Amino acid sequence: MEAISRGSHQAFAALVDRTAEILAADLTARLTEPRQRTAILAATYVEVWWLAGRRSDADADVKQWIGRILERRIADSCRVPTGRAHHEPGHSRAEHELADLLDRPIDDLWPV
C-alpha cells in the first residue's frame, strides 16, 4: 500500500491482480446485472488508488479494507431509487479511470 500511495501503478496492478477475482466472485453472487458489477468493481479500485495513503490503520488487512469499500459501494448502488437510476450506455467513468490506472483495455477489467 505504501508504494501505491506514492503513485506506483505497478504496485496497484499487482494488488488488483491479487484481489479482484475474489471481489468479482462476491459481486457475481450478489448482483445479477453485469454492468453494475463491473462499475462497482472499478469504482472500488479507483477509490483504493486515491485513498491508499490515507488508511488510518496501516497494519489492517488490506483485503478487509478493500472489502469494506466494496460493501459501501454495493449499499450505495442499492439505495438509488428505481425510477432515478441512470444507466448510461458504454462504460462508467470509474471503468475508464481504472483502465487508465492499470494501462489495460477497458474490456479486460473484469477478472476471468
Side-chain angles (χ1 to χ4, degrees):
M1 291 304 295
E2 186 177 325
I4 295 169
S5 71
R6 290 190 314 261
S8 172
H9 290 265
Q10 185 176 8
F12 181 64
L15 176 69
V16 170
D17 291 342
R18 280 195 321 269
T19 59
E21 193 170 328
I22 294 166
L23 294 181
D26 183 34
L27 279 170
T28 299
R30 296 168 67 181
L31 301 172
T32 58
E33 168 52 39
R35 296 288 315 135
Q36 182 184 24
R37 291 192 306 251
T38 303
I40 289 171
L41 185 70
T44 297
Y45 280 109
V46 168
E47 186 170 338
V48 166
W49 169 262
W50 288 111
L51 296 179
R54 293 178 178 87
R55 288 187 52 223
S56 59
D57 185 1
D59 295 329
D61 185 317
V62 173
K63 289 178 187 175
Q64 288 178 359
W65 178 64
I66 296 170
R68 287 191 301 274
I69 293 171
L70 178 72
E71 289 298 323
R72 183 179 41 76
R73 292 221 168 249
I74 292 170
D76 288 349
S77 75
C78 293
R79 282 191 200 109
V80 176
T82 308
R84 296 187 61 195
H86 179 64
H87 299 285
E88 292 182 28
H91 300 286
S92 70
R93 193 173 306 176
E95 290 171 80
H96 285 281
E97 188 171 357
L98 182 60
D100 186 50
L101 286 169
L102 295 173
D103 194 26
R104 295 180 183 168
I106 198 165
D107 292 326
D108 291 343
L109 295 179
W110 190 257
V112 184

